[in-house]
Amino acid sequence: MSNQLQYNLDSYKCCVIIPTYNNEKTLQRVIDNTLKFTQNIIVVNDGSTDATSTILKEYSFLKQLHHKRNKGKGSALRNGFKFAYEQGYEYAITIDSDGQHFPEDIPVFLKKLSQKEQNKELLLIGARNMNQDSVPKKSSFGNKFSNFWFWVETGTQLQDTQSGYRLYPLKVLDKIRFYTTKFEFEIEVIVKAAWRGVAVENVPVKVLYDETERVSHFRPFKDFTRISVLNTWLVLVTFLFIKPRDFLRSLKKKGVKKFLIDDVLVSSDSSIKKSVSIALGVFFGLSPFWGLQGFLAIGFSILLKLNKTISFLFSNISLPPLIPFVVLASVKVGEFLLGEKIEFDFRTIENIKMLTHIKVYVVGSLVLAGFSAVLLGIISLALFNIFKPKNNE
């Protein structure tokens, strides 16, 4: 065991957590190789029914948690994190017990941890070389799938989001409420940590897929369905809460004037890109998609690679005090286009609930939204070109 490495682990109050379930062929080798670097090890036996319990009796000097029945990898990790934090550890490196990870990569995590900013927490994920011939095709596809949704949900692009070889900041995790208990937990934890301001980054690690020894408990249909449901929920939360929250925090921190100058006028985006972003926000802000304007504006901004902040800002053109005027204008445009006349009580929009009135309102709303978007897009493009900062091309 390297005394220097053990000292570094102790100085960062870092331990190694090994969750295991029916990996009798590889567990002992993983523990022995990890012991070459540290004794700060916590093994979580997730209800194994093979020889795991017998093997662990040989390591009575290590801290161990035993589940009476199999609860899932998420539960094993969550209980391991809680126990480690109670033991005074501030960081935990997780290593899978199927033999695919190399304990000699532990220093890679510690080196990166030593470079972190003083007030910035890190969550590190070991990035595997997924182009190796030994890597199963389903693992490579699943990783790309996971990487894409993590980018949508956090705005951070990573090379590998599925590796179980990670370093977690325990103090931050202790403040987050988690709901998942199976493999999908490893997605939930990195997304929610990113939402908390934790920097989620990759570090390079080696990987070994030995199909003669490795036992995978991933159930393609059940677990992929769980992951898909989780990502659907996380995307909804991202666009309906996280993005608006971050926008309002930025607006409050900078102030309206500085925000408009820094994020709109002096944005590094081209004048055309900013103008189209404004037009997109205005279109959804005036469209009949009540409650979804911000969600749609940000979603299409990502899809079209526009400025998400600007689009979201202008999607809020339908502020509550202005809603009756927006609805009235939409109805009048609809009446003109369809040649129909409906009674409109300015004090209430209950009439809009009638089927015939809905048609008039929707048609008028979409036309008004489209016209306003084009008009404000052209005006904003002219203004951006007139007031373009001198240092911008």
Side-chain angles (χ1 to χ4, degrees), residues 299-312:
F300 275 84
S301 294
I302 292 175
L303 184 65
L304 300 174
K305 297 182 179 180
L306 299 175
N307 189 305
K308 299 185 292 295
T309 301
I310 294 177
S311 292
F312 178 77

Side-chain angles (χ1 to χ4, degrees), residues 33-76:
N33 288 338
T34 305
L35 281 170
K36 294 177 182 178
F37 299 92
T38 181
Q39 287 196 343
N40 298 357
I41 299 174
I42 299 172
V43 182
V44 184
N45 176 16
D46 187 29
S48 298
T49 56
D50 60 1
T52 294
S53 296
T54 302
I55 294 171
L56 291 178
K57 288 180 181 178
E58 301 178 21
Y59 301 95
S60 57
F61 56 93
L62 297 179
K63 293 181 173 62
Q64 301 179 19
L65 297 177
H66 293 268
H67 294 171
K68 292 183 179 180
R69 59 180 180 82
N70 179 247
K71 298 181 178 180
K73 188 177 183 182
S75 288

Side-chain angles (χ1 to χ4, degrees), residues 1-11 34-40 107 110:
M1 181 173 65
S2 169
N3 291 332
Q4 182 60 45
L5 182 57
Q6 180 65 65
Y7 172 79
N8 290 339
L9 284 162
D10 290 339
S11 63
T34 305
L35 281 170
K36 294 177 182 178
F37 299 92
T38 181
Q39 287 196 343
N40 298 357
L110 296 181

Side-chain angles (χ1 to χ4, degrees), residues 62-240:
L62 297 179
K63 293 181 173 62
Q64 301 179 19
L65 297 177
H66 293 268
H67 294 171
K68 292 183 179 180
R69 59 180 180 82
N70 179 247
K71 298 181 178 180
K73 188 177 183 182
S75 288
L77 289 173
R78 289 169 61 177
N79 288 339
F81 294 153
K82 181 180 179 182
F83 179 78
Y85 190 60
E86 291 172 349
Q87 296 295 308
Y89 291 110
E90 294 183 3
Y91 294 93
I93 295 175
T94 58
I95 296 180
D96 290 344
S97 62
D98 60 4
Q100 67 169 295
H101 301 148
F102 292 80
E104 53 260 40
D105 282 328
I106 290 176
V108 175
F109 290 91
L110 296 181
K111 181 179 179 180
K112 187 67 175 180
L113 184 61
S114 68
Q115 299 170 352
K116 83 178 185 74
E117 299 177 23
Q118 185 175 0
N119 297 320
K120 191 74 172 181
E121 285 293 359
L122 279 179
L123 192 159
L124 303 176
I125 303 175
R128 304 160 293 176
N129 179 4
M130 302 302 290
N131 296 320
Q132 292 180 205
D133 293 336
S134 61
V135 177
K137 297 298 182 183
K138 62 182 181 180
S139 296
S140 179
F141 170 78
N143 190 50
K144 292 178 181 178
F145 179 84
S146 179
N147 294 349
F148 170 77
W149 287 115
F150 181 75
W151 168 70
V152 171
E153 292 151 5
T154 67
T156 300
Q157 289 187 315
L158 294 179
Q159 175 187 343
D160 191 346
T161 54
Q162 285 199 316
S163 172
Y165 204 173
R166 303 179 176 189
L167 180 143
Y168 290 97
L170 298 178
K171 187 176 181 180
V172 177
L173 300 191
D174 188 61
K175 299 176 182 178
I176 301 175
R177 179 177 294 182
F178 298 108
Y179 297 96
T180 56
T181 59
K182 308 294 183 182
F183 285 102
E184 68 273 16
F185 169 76
E186 290 183 303
I187 295 174
E188 181 186 19
V189 65
I190 60 174
V191 171
K192 289 188 174 180
W195 287 351
R196 283 267 182 165
V198 175
V200 183
E201 300 178 11
N202 281 139
V203 292
V205 297
K206 299 183 291 295
V207 65
L208 172 66
Y209 283 95
D210 187 344
E211 295 302 328
T212 63
E213 290 186 324
R214 182 172 177 263
V215 178
S216 175
H217 302 292
F218 186 85
R219 301 160 299 178
F221 179 75
K222 287 186 177 180
D223 289 313
F224 190 77
T225 299
R226 286 175 176 270
I227 290 171
S228 297
V229 171
L230 173 64
N231 277 318
T232 300
W233 171 247
L234 292 176
V235 168
L236 287 174
V237 175
T238 296
F239 291 115
L240 296 180

